[in-house]
């Protein structure tokens, strides 16, 4: 298995075995391993935001349920947190750009800024300023931002991506 060389000298024949070298990885093999690490990436934060957004859309479109408390809580999360969270996830994809607490605070602040802008633009449409179109547009916007954030994060190396549960770094 090991390649050896035979060295012939005047006195005797000596068998020389070359020293073992660590496995050198060729650039295309390293690139393939990097691509393989990106295949099974499932961001839990974006998945949860997308599910909550779809659930909000479903509750708006099928208003037959009488779960007023649940609809109120989901509506508050959908209006005051998810649009900003998905926008922050789209802008700040690296894990070292923002701490978790800063990320959450910026999410609430951007949501409070996005929602009035959407409501103001809805005022000039034929639908008017109603709750149903507002929640549908915010849900759709959240889904679009989550998809863009997923695409941007999946283009990063595995160790550079923001994950919901980070180890070794305190958020506050």
């Amino acid at each position: 298995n090991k390649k050896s060389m035979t060295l012939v000298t005047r006195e005797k024949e000596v068998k020389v075995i070359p020293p073992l070298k660590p496995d050198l990885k060729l650039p295309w093999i390293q690139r393939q391993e990097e691509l393989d690490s990106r295949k099974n990436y499932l961001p839990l934060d974006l998945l949860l935001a997308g599910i909550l957004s779809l659930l909000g859309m479903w509750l708006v479109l099928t208003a037959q349920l009488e779960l007023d408390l649940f609809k109120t809580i989901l509506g508050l999360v959908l209006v005051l947190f998810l649009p900003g969270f998905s926008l922050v996830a789209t802008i700040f994809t690296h894990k070292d750009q923002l701490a978790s607490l800063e990320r959450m605070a910026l999410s609430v602040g951007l949501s409070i800024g996005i929602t009035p802008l959407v409501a103001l633009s809805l005022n000039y449409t034929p639908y008017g300023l109603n709750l149903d179109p507002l929640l549908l547009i915010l849900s759709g916007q959240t889904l679009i931002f989550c998809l863009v954030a997923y695409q941007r994060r999946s283009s990063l190396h595995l160790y550079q991506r923001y994950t919901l549960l980070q180890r070794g770094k305190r958020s506050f």
Side-chain angles (χ1 to χ4, degrees), residues 95-100 102 166-172:
K95 68 178 180 179
D96 294 331
Q97 286 178 329
L98 287 177
S100 295
E102 293 169 347
Q166 291 183 8
R167 293 183 181 177
K169 184 177 180 184
R170 297 195 70 125
S171 59
F172 49 90

Side-chain angles (χ1 to χ4, degrees), residues 41-45 93-96 98 100 103 153 158-167:
Y41 173 60
L42 184 66
L44 295 177
D45 56 341
T93 54
H94 290 272
K95 68 178 180 179
D96 294 331
L98 287 177
S100 295
R103 206 172 272 271
R153 278 191 201 171
L158 184 64
Y159 301 110
Q160 294 174 338
R161 297 176 187 155
Y162 172 76
T163 57
L164 193 60
L165 304 172
Q166 291 183 8
R167 293 183 181 177

Side-chain angles (χ1 to χ4, degrees), residues 108-126:
V108 171
L110 282 175
S111 291
I112 291 172
I114 289 172
T115 303
L117 291 175
V118 171
L120 184 64
S121 63
L122 267 177
N123 194 27
Y124 294 106
T125 65

Side-chain angles (χ1 to χ4, degrees), residues 98-146:
L98 287 177
S100 295
L101 187 63
E102 293 169 347
R103 206 172 272 271
M104 296 304 138
L106 193 56
S107 299
V108 171
L110 282 175
S111 291
I112 291 172
I114 289 172
T115 303
L117 291 175
V118 171
L120 184 64
S121 63
L122 267 177
N123 194 27
Y124 294 106
T125 65
Y127 302 110
L129 186 57
N130 291 325
L131 185 61
D132 293 347
L134 178 68
L135 290 179
L136 287 175
I137 288 177
L138 288 176
S139 295
Q141 179 184 2
T142 300
L143 286 175
I144 290 170
F145 283 149
C146 284

Side-chain angles (χ1 to χ4, degrees), residues 51-75 78 132 135-136 139:
I51 288 172
L52 286 175
S53 167
L54 286 173
L55 185 63
M57 283 179 140
W58 179 73
L59 284 176
V60 167
L61 293 176
T62 60
Q64 300 162 354
L65 298 175
E66 294 297 328
L67 302 172
D68 290 333
L69 180 65
F70 180 70
K71 283 172 41 174
T72 302
I73 292 172
L74 184 64
L78 188 60
D132 293 347
L135 290 179
L136 287 175
S139 295

